Amino acid sequence: AKDNTLFNGVTGDSIRRRTLTIHLQTQAHRDCKAAQDAQENPLQALIVCALQNMDNALKKKLLKLFNIAYFIAKEEAPFTMFSKLIRLHGHNGLKLGATYRNDQACRAFVATIGQCMQEELVQNIENRVHCVVEK
């Protein structure tokens, strides 16, 4: 792979758009990108690794808890509603376990959601080409 032009770098017009598009879809590119991301942000890499090793039942439970926390934040409701909504979901047959059922957990979920949304927004802004047209 070290002989690869994409690995060594390219200057000028010596690479075609189609070649680059195909390369972006390869597992080798995804692995390199993951390694680069892990190097740039080790904490994020640990979180991704932990999520990959988490069993599906726990992932589903946490996803539902995050969704409830997101709803509370979106509706600007108090964090104390979190435990009440979890109880309501429990009465409706949804099993969410006995942990992460208080307002502190809701605050932590909302903070994490906010951080992720902010990072995504910053990344989207950085990847855009801006043009200002004035009259």
Side-chain angles (χ1 to χ4, degrees), residues 92-129:
N92 289 329
L94 189 62
K95 304 292 184 213
L96 294 173
T99 56
Y100 306 116
R101 299 179 68 107
N102 55 33
D103 55 322
Q104 287 85 13
C106 183
R107 185 174 289 111
F109 287 140
V110 169
T112 302
I113 292 167
Q115 181 182 1
C116 290
M117 291 176 81
Q118 182 179 12
E119 288 172 4
E120 184 178 345
L121 179 63
V122 167
Q123 188 176 31
N124 285 340
I125 290 171
E126 288 174 349
N127 292 336
R128 299 279 188 245
V129 175

Side-chain angles (χ1 to χ4, degrees), residues 30-78:
R30 288 190 292 271
D31 292 343
C32 287
K33 178 71 174 134
Q36 179 186 13
D37 292 346
Q39 215 172 28
E40 291 173 358
N41 192 348
L43 181 59
Q44 185 72 21
L46 289 174
I47 293 170
V48 169
C49 184
L51 286 174
Q52 288 172 344
N53 293 329
M54 191 183 298
D55 72 330
N56 282 337
L58 183 57
K59 281 182 189 177
K60 288 178 182 177
K61 178 184 123 175
L62 285 173
L63 178 63
K64 290 170 184 156
L65 291 171
F66 269 93
N67 284 337
I68 294 169
Y70 178 81
F71 173 80
I72 288 172
K74 186 77 171 170
E75 295 298 317
E76 298 179 10

